[in-house]
């Protein structure tokens, strides 16, 4: 049912204190995360059961289309006083109030780290971090401390960006009669210029997408695409009886004229407001009246919950690169139901054949983008910035800037 996965640990996993990792350590780590409110990894785990010393079973609260991705969380061994990890670097000591020293773990089960020592500086003062980086006092700067979309990186630095699992999308309110017709909903996605949104609205700090799957995931259907096509959009609107009247689209509904006029809800935020205005400009220039309504976060979330919008520009951090449930599964924010998608989603939870899994995801994308309950726009990018002391062999993974840290050189 997609709610359980059984895992057997490798034989050669050593902890930083010399002990061998076992199933009890996994259980203890999950309990530590839950107690600490580390919800990103623990919120959907119902229970972890120990089968034997090397085997454990994870039970989830809700079905998972890609359960292995939900297990990408840190594991530590603890006796209540000492904590020992299993990663490529082990904690040595706290050198000062805000500086921590880590050294390469020689018994690491993977590739041995090329850099033998790492110091981590914990500082809340962004200006201090930037000054230290610019004078060479810091070699690696995560963009969580700066505005990656606008920060001007100097010639001495290298930027390595990576695509996160944060999806920016346009939601449609099915309660509005304007969107009752499938062709009307499809037309919207052919009017919006996603490429321009990424290049001019997000300064290329995002990657456009047609689906709710990360473009770098092996599950992404690369042979499907939905590019801007206003000719096709007009043809689709005609199928739902919309015609141009005085430069705007309208139709007769129950004996009365209905203009294709929508309100686009967006949270008050400079970047989001720019994107919303670009979408509004695309729609208005095509002949669909679109007004942008900006609201502060609390009021915005209330309006989304109450479905007080026609269109809504929103973003969400997906649970993984193959997450099908968050936006289309049971209890989704749109109240959207589709039995075909539910059937496919249920199938991929237990599918083990990779080719059949790819075909299932492709079919899922075809159906969801034909029905258009929402329009995926792009996945946000983030980055790490390295100084000249770090060699240029940094490679980031999906939502993981330190994917090949063992290969870094200094």
């Amino acid at each position: 049912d997609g709610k359980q996965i059984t895992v057997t640990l490798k034989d050669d996993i050593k902890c930083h204190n010399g002990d061998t990792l076992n199933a009890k350590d996994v259980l203890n780590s999950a309990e530590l995360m839950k107690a600490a409110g580390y919800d990103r990894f623990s919120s959907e785990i119902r229970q972890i059961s120990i089968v034997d010393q090397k085997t454990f079973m994870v039970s989830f609260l809700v079905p998972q289309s890609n359960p292995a991705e939900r297990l990408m969380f840190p594991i530590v061994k603890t006796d209540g006083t000492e904590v020992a990890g299993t990663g490529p670097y082990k904690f040595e000591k706290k050198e000062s109030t805000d500086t921590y020293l880590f050294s390469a773990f020689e018994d690491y089960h993977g590739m041995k780290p090329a850099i033998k020592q790492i110091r981590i500086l914990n500082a809340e003062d962004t200006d201090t971090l930037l000054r230290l980086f610019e004078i060479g006092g810091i070699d690696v700067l995560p963009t969580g401390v700066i505005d990656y979309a606008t920060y001007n990186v100097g010639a001495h630095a290298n930027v390595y960006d990576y695509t996160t699992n944060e999806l920016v999308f346009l939601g449609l309110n099915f309660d509005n009669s304007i969107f009752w017709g499938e062709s009307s909903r499809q037309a919207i996605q052919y009017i919006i210029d996603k490429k321009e949104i990424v290049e001019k609205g997000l300064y290329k700090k995002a990657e456009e997408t047609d689906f709710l799957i990360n473009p770098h995931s092996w599950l992404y259907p690369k042979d499907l695409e939905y590019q801007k096509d206003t000719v096709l959009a007009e043809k689709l609107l005609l199928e739902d009886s919309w015609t141009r009247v005085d430069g705007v689209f309208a139709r007769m509904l129950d004996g009365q004229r209905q203009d294709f006029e929508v309100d686009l809800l967006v949270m008050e935020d400079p970047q989001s407001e720019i994107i919303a205005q670009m979408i509004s400009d695309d729609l208005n220039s095509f002949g669909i009246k679109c007004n942008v309504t900006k609201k502060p976060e609390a009021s915005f979330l209330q309006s989304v919950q109450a479905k007080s919008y026609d269109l809504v520009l929103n973003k969400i951090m997906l649970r993984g690169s193959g997450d099908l449930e968050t936006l289309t599964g049971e209890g989704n924010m749109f109240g959207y139901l589709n039995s075909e998608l539910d059937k496919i989603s249920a199938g991929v939870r237990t599918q083990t054949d990779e080719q059949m899994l790819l075909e299932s995801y492709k079919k899922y994308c075809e159906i969801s983008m034909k029905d258009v309950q929402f329009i995926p726009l792009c996945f946000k990018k983030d980055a790490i910035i390295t100084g000249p002391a770090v060699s240029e062999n940094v490679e980031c993974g999906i939502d993981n800037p330190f994917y090949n840290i063992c290969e870094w050189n200094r």
Side-chain angles (χ1 to χ4, degrees):
D1 62 0
K3 290 186 177 182
Q4 288 185 334
I5 184 171
T6 301
V7 180
T8 301
L9 296 170
K10 293 181 179 179
D11 294 326
D12 59 345
I13 309 298
K14 290 289 185 181
C15 298
H16 295 160
N17 63 358
D19 293 345
T20 300
L21 185 71
N22 59 49
K24 185 178 179 181
D25 298 324
V26 178
L27 174 60
N28 290 340
S29 297
E31 291 176 346
L32 281 172
M33 287 190 298
K34 187 173 183 179
Y38 205 17
D39 289 343
R40 182 178 178 186
F41 297 104
S42 62
S43 61
E44 292 176 2
I45 294 177
R46 182 176 66 84
Q47 181 182 352
I48 294 181
S49 306
I50 298 174
V51 178
D52 56 40
Q53 191 171 9
K54 292 184 180 178
T55 310
F56 60 94
M57 178 184 293
V58 181
S59 300
F60 298 97
L61 293 170
V62 295
Q64 304 289 318
S65 55
N66 201 351
E69 284 204 0
R70 303 302 300 151
L71 302 184
M72 295 182 354
F73 56 79
I75 299 297
V76 296
K77 177 179 283 290
T78 178
D79 59 6
T81 58
E82 180 187 23
V83 176
T86 59
Y89 288 92
K90 64 178 181 179
F91 174 70
E92 290 290 348
K93 62 181 179 179
K94 184 176 182 179
E95 292 187 321
S96 65
T97 304
D98 52 13
T99 305
Y100 303 83
L101 177 65
F102 290 76
S103 64
F105 181 40
E106 296 305 323
D107 289 328
Y108 179 57
H109 59 90
M111 178 181 179
K112 302 299 183 288
I115 296 175
K116 298 307 178 184
Q117 284 191 331
I118 290 179
R119 283 180 173 82
I120 296 178
L121 175 63
N122 181 24
E124 296 180 0
D125 186 351
T126 300
D127 292 336
T128 298
L129 288 173
L130 290 175
R131 283 197 298 271
L132 284 170
F133 179 74
E134 288 165 359
I135 65 174
I138 294 176
D139 296 314
V140 180
L141 186 68
T143 56
V145 302
I146 61 171
D147 184 354
Y148 172 51
T150 58
Y151 178 64
N152 185 23
V153 179
H156 67 288
N158 292 307
V159 179
Y160 300 94
D161 62 24
Y162 58 96
T163 305
T164 71
N165 281 320
E166 184 177 11
L167 175 68
V168 180
F169 64 94
L170 186 68
L172 286 69
N173 188 346
F174 276 44
D175 293 341
N176 189 328
S177 61
I178 284 176
F179 298 126
W180 288 352
E182 183 180 88
S183 296
S184 297
R185 301 194 299 273
Q186 290 176 7
I188 300 292
Q189 69 181 343
Y190 287 110
I191 298 169
I192 298 170
D193 194 334
K194 298 179 184 179
K195 185 176 182 180
E196 187 174 63
I197 287 173
V198 168
E199 292 184 353
K200 297 181 180 180
L202 291 166
Y203 308 102
K204 299 183 180 180
K205 303 302 191 295
E207 188 158 355
E208 61 183 284
T209 184
D210 293 316
F211 313 107
L212 53 74
I213 303 171
N214 194 300
H216 292 278
S217 169
W218 68 281
L219 295 167
Y220 191 87
K222 295 178 173 57
D223 55 340
L224 297 178
E225 62 179 3
Y226 294 83
Q227 296 181 343
K228 180 176 181 177
D229 189 338
T230 54
V231 174
L232 177 56
E234 185 157 0
K235 180 181 177 182
L236 287 166
L237 289 179
L238 288 172
E239 291 178 3
D240 276 347
S241 303
W242 297 100
T243 57
R244 289 186 186 273
V245 180
D246 299 325
V248 298
F249 281 91
R251 67 182 176 185
M252 297 302 295
L253 184 68
D254 297 330
Q256 295 186 347
R257 171 173 163 165
Q258 180 185 39
D259 288 345
F260 204 134
E261 184 172 0
V262 293
D263 187 81
L264 171 53
L265 175 66
V266 63
M267 184 163 58
E268 287 181 354
D269 163 69
Q271 196 173 77
S272 298
E273 290 173 24
I274 290 172
I275 297 172
Q277 192 57 55
M278 293 177 73
I279 293 172
S280 177
D281 291 344
D282 281 342
L283 295 174
N284 280 305
S285 63
F286 180 76
I288 292 177
K289 296 179 183 178
C290 181
N291 175 65
V292 176
T293 297
K294 309 168 189 175
K295 291 188 177 183
E297 183 176 6
S299 179
F300 171 83
L301 293 175
Q302 288 175 357
S303 295
V304 171
Q305 182 71 23
K307 297 184 73 174
S308 298
Y309 61 84
D310 300 321
L311 298 172
V312 58
L313 180 66
N314 209 344
K315 56 187 176 183
I316 192 168
M317 181 65 74
L318 298 180
R319 298 178 298 197
S321 57
D323 176 15
L324 298 180
E325 281 83 22
T326 301
L327 286 177
T328 60
E330 183 179 350
N332 64 78
M333 67 176 65
F334 308 110
Y336 172 74
L337 300 172
N338 186 305
S339 58
E340 283 188 278
L341 292 184
D342 290 343
K343 184 178 179 180
I344 295 173
S345 183
V348 302
R349 293 168 193 153
T350 55
Q351 181 58 257
T352 56
D353 182 273
E354 288 190 359
Q355 187 56 42
M356 292 184 69
L357 195 60
L358 281 170
E359 292 173 1
S360 295
Y361 269 85
K362 181 178 179 179
K363 184 65 175 177
Y364 191 98
C365 290
E366 287 174 333
I367 295 172
S368 65
M369 298 316 295
K370 182 174 181 288
D371 209 19
V372 196
Q373 73 276 25
F374 64 93
I375 300 171
L377 300 174
C378 59
F379 279 90
K380 289 280 196 74
K381 285 185 178 181
D382 209 333
I384 53 172
I385 304 172
T386 63
V390 179
S391 62
E392 298 181 13
N393 63 337
V394 176
E395 180 183 346
C396 300
I398 296 177
D399 214 13
N400 180 9
F402 303 107
Y403 175 74
N404 74 330
I405 192 171
C406 293
E407 300 176 33
W408 293 16
N409 280 295
R410 190 179 192 281

